[in-house]
Amino acid sequence: MKIRAEMGRQRAPLCPTEYQVDKVMDIPNTQFAAFLMRPLDSYDFIRHNSVEPHQGTGHDHCLLVLGEGRTDGVLVQCDGDGRAAYSAYVAGARDVVQARLDRVADFIVGQGTQRTASGSWYVNCEELDEKFGVAIQEDNGLDAMLRDALERRPEVAQVDISLQHIETTFRPEFCVNLSGSAEKTQPDIRLRDILPLLANTGLEYPSQSYFTHPGSDARVWPDDLRKLTTAGQREHDALLNARVAEIVPTDEGVKVALTDVDPQELVRFNQAYEDHQAAEWAMGDMTP
């Protein structure tokens, strides 16, 4: 048996430095072989997929280059002219990335099939980065690999990855809450559908309507959601697409219980709204 490795006499510890992979580029095997032979040349695939190495996160950020049909890869700190300022050969790089993405897929499928009441489930990309250290973004290579990992699962019917969220549609037979016919016949009403109906009309209950989730103590107020700009609506798309499970009058007002959304989405919206209000207060009255 033969093993390829670079061996040398060095005083530094053998434990390698950690780098943050922001993009993955899969290139033809012939091009990958040429890159291995001439790593200091300028390449279009580096120029068009450049990653800023120093982002103040405590880790250097890199592009991971993979060859089609190969398991090894090259970690690249990008230079501005399409060259690799620094590079490192990584044996088994594809397997390392795929193993991490398989864990992400397990999380999405496990959470979604257990909690969804409509067949679809939203997950925030930021949450996946925090839990697994994987930055899923549109067209960064990791999104395509995760989509493939999810679509290989028998539970998954469809995957849609946007700027902020991953929406996964599951086959009903795998969803705990869709096993009964009564559940399947419930109307599919989303938060954005009823938001215009919960205007502050001065009536006792509509003026005190609020959104809740069984998995969180957070409350979100309709008036706050209506202040979202177009960009804000995209940012909180998962919350706006939450399914309305029930509408219950209480002593405090009308409680609208939500499902098919991570309960942390309510917390995240409230925090963003509070930060926005604090920023406006700090700016003071800007009226001329």
Side-chain angles (χ1 to χ4, degrees):
M1 182 177 71
K2 297 180 180 179
I3 298 177
R4 292 183 180 271
E6 292 186 14
M7 190 173 294
R9 190 184 297 272
Q10 56 183 12
R11 297 180 181 177
L14 290 176
C15 182
T17 303
E18 285 190 331
Y19 295 92
Q20 177 68 39
V21 175
D22 285 354
K23 287 186 179 181
V24 175
M25 186 66 190
D26 219 330
I27 62 176
N29 190 29
T30 53
Q31 191 175 16
F32 184 80
F35 178 50
L36 289 179
M37 296 298 296
R38 300 187 301 276
L40 298 181
D41 287 0
S42 178
Y43 294 93
D44 286 341
F45 66 82
I46 295 179
R47 181 180 298 105
H48 297 155
N49 297 277
S50 183
V51 172
E52 173 58 43
H54 308 297
Q55 301 181 21
T57 62
H59 295 282
D60 287 337
H61 294 245
C62 296
L63 166 70
L64 177 62
V65 181
L66 302 174
E68 292 180 353
R70 301 180 59 130
T71 60
D72 54 350
V74 178
L75 205 58
V76 175
Q77 278 194 3
C78 303
D79 206 343
D81 59 355
R83 301 176 189 273
Y86 296 93
S87 60
Y89 177 81
V90 183
R94 185 186 296 274
D95 294 338
V96 171
V97 174
Q98 193 61 62
R100 184 70 62 88
L101 292 175
D102 286 342
R103 288 179 56 201
V104 175
D106 288 342
F107 171 77
I108 293 174
V109 171
Q111 190 179 65
T113 55
Q114 290 295 316
R115 298 185 181 183
T116 183
S118 67
S120 62
W121 186 252
Y122 278 78
V123 177
N124 188 278
C125 293
E126 184 178 343
E127 178 187 1
L128 298 180
D129 196 2
E130 292 174 356
K131 286 182 179 293
F132 301 100
V134 178
I136 304 297
Q137 299 175 1
E138 280 189 307
D139 300 324
N140 75 340
L142 291 167
D143 61 331
M145 295 181 71
L146 178 59
R147 181 182 288 107
D148 289 342
L150 286 168
E151 290 178 344
R152 286 195 298 269
R153 300 290 295 259
E155 302 94 334
V156 175
Q158 184 177 340
V159 181
D160 182 29
I161 300 178
S162 64
L163 288 174
Q164 301 291 337
H165 304 96
I166 299 170
E167 181 185 9
T168 308
T169 303
F170 298 99
R171 294 184 172 88
E173 60 268 28
F174 293 98
C175 300
V176 173
N177 297 322
L178 297 181
S179 57
S181 59
E183 187 71 24
K184 294 179 184 178
T185 59
Q186 288 186 0
D188 185 21
I189 302 174
R190 302 291 164 164
L191 184 157
R192 66 169 73 250
D193 297 330
I194 68 168
L195 188 59
L197 306 177
L198 299 177
N200 189 343
T201 62
L203 300 177
E204 180 181 358
Y205 282 143
S207 63
Q208 299 177 28
S209 301
Y210 58 92
F211 299 105
T212 66
H213 190 287
S216 173
D217 294 331
R219 295 184 178 187
V220 171
W221 307 101
D223 285 346
D224 296 344
L225 282 170
R226 275 191 289 271
K227 296 174 184 177
L228 285 172
T229 62
T230 301
Q233 291 175 17
R234 289 196 298 267
E235 172 72 17
H236 298 284
D237 186 59
L239 179 58
L240 292 171
N241 277 291
R243 181 175 178 271
V244 176
E246 60 178 358
I247 302 176
V248 183
T250 69
D251 293 339
E252 298 176 290
V254 176
K255 180 178 76 171
V256 182
L258 304 175
T259 59
D260 285 10
V261 67
D262 192 315
Q264 287 303 309
E265 288 295 322
L266 282 75
V267 177
R268 195 170 73 88
F269 171 78
N270 284 337
Q271 185 60 59
Y273 183 77
E274 290 175 7
D275 292 345
H276 176 73
Q277 292 295 95
E280 286 198 337
W281 180 85
M283 293 175 63
D285 186 2
M286 303 294 290
T287 305

